[in-house]
Amino acid sequence: MPLSQTLITPDLALAFDLPSPVPAAAAAAIPRPDPDPGGAGDEGAAARTLKRPRLVWTPQLHKRFVDAVAHLGIKNAVPKTIMQLMGVDGLTRENVASHLQKYRLYLKRMQQSSSSSASAALAGGHISAADHQLFASGPVPHHFLSPRGAAGPDPPFVPLVPVNPLHHHHHHHQIGQQYYYQRQMGHFGSAASGGVGAGGGFDYRFLSPPPIGMQHMGMGMGFPPAASSFGEQLESEERGGGRRELTLFPTGDD
DNA sequence: CATCGAATAT
DNA sequence: CATATTCGAT
């Protein structure tokens, strides 16, 4: 059962007119070294030893990241925990640590400037367009500074079904170790996916990982399982003059 | 000993 | 710039 198909139900795919089972994992891009074709048994060792391709933090992945951090509270939001909560197969602690570092910087800069308005910060020139693209593209839990479960004990989060957004792209080998592409889509106004063909050509794909907010928090705030079947949905990349920062679906978080 | 995180490297 | 790796601190 190819997970590429488990992630998106057939009817859902139809409903959105998806090109069928997207090549898997093209979605988020958690690379994984080859599973050992030979037949040895040290799969784990190899998986940990071989160097994985660069992780690409797609908006979807970042979303999960943010959700995880939000649910953990600043205090518990450390790489290992975040990683576990995200439940993304192939995602390493390092991956998260690196992203977290950057995210913290973003939040810091965000605080400095006016209030917590991404727009304002961006306008003020304190936030780079690039930051805006990934970080502010999605909802930024405004109250990240107020520890949520900070005082509480370790959150007994339920095991999330590991999602497996592999990125089996044997991409370029080792081009001149210089600069790849850093097509910074000039400015906001043009959506994120941007240059499909103009040198950009990101391979955004979609996946529907299990929603993060399905854990029972300290408060008796549980909701029926069916309530959050869809954590994140397809994102219509509408352009045409106006920006659309409309998130028309709950994350299961709020 | 594990892992965090700022600094640094690619 | 985005992500990875290093390395001292906890």
Side-chain angles (χ1 to χ4, degrees):
Chain A
M1 175 204 277
L3 356 64
S4 32
Q5 306 195 8
T6 21
L7 297 176
I8 301 178
T9 63
D11 42 316
L12 182 59
L14 277 177
F16 286 93
D17 187 18
L18 285 181
S20 244
V22 134
I30 300 302
R32 169 198 275 171
D34 277 315
D36 176 18
D42 42 296
E43 197 170 310
R48 254 174 277 115
T49 300
L50 277 56
K51 59 179 178 185
R52 310 152 173 250
R54 277 170 74 106
L55 171 66
V56 175
W57 284 90
T58 63
Q60 285 72 31
L61 255 187
H62 178 65
K63 177 88 183 337
R64 278 188 83 73
F65 169 85
V66 172
D67 281 351
V69 174
H71 282 294
L72 285 171
I74 295 299
K75 188 179 180 181
N76 298 317
V78 293
K80 190 183 182 183
T81 312
I82 296 174
M83 179 194 67
Q84 290 174 150
L85 244 194
M86 287 180 70
V88 174
D89 180 50
L91 187 67
T92 70
R93 191 168 55 79
E94 285 54 39
N95 287 144
V96 177
S98 183
H99 194 65
L100 180 60
Q101 179 176 27
K102 213 182 50 163
Y103 188 60
R104 280 168 172 163
L105 288 175
Y106 168 75
L107 289 181
K108 180 178 296 183
R109 281 153 50 187
M110 185 79 98
Q111 288 182 141
Q112 287 181 49
S113 59
S114 67
S115 49
S116 19
S117 166
S119 321
L122 181 60
H126 297 111
I127 304 298
S128 77
D131 280 345
H132 195 257
Q133 178 179 319
L134 211 199
F135 293 144
S137 66
V140 176
H142 26 274
H143 47 291
F144 258 9
L145 289 183
S146 45
R148 181 171 285 230
D154 5 334
F157 51 72
V158 306
L160 282 173
V161 179
V163 81
N164 187 346
L166 298 183
H167 205 199
H168 248 144
H169 274 174
H170 295 175
H171 264 174
H172 41 234
H173 316 169
Q174 292 185 340
I175 10 184
Q177 56 214 99
Q178 288 290 9
Y179 16 65
Y180 290 138
Y181 49 82
Q182 34 179 339
R183 296 284 82 114
Q184 269 195 222
M185 242 80 269
H187 306 78
F188 27 94
S190 296
S193 67
V196 181
F202 300 2
D203 45 79
Y204 285 6
R205 241 76 252 210
F206 307 98
L207 78 169
S208 318
I212 280 191
M214 289 192 56
Q215 24 180 336
H216 39 32
M217 301 194 247
M219 313 297 169
M221 293 188 62
F223 45 69
S228 59
S229 298
F230 308 147
E232 41 261 344
Q233 220 60 288
L234 299 189
E235 176 182 7
S236 306
E237 301 177 25
E238 291 300 324
R239 256 143 271 161
R243 265 197 49 102
R244 230 169 250 237
E245 34 188 58
L246 175 57
T247 311
L248 16 71
F249 43 78
T251 339
D253 171 31
D254 41 14

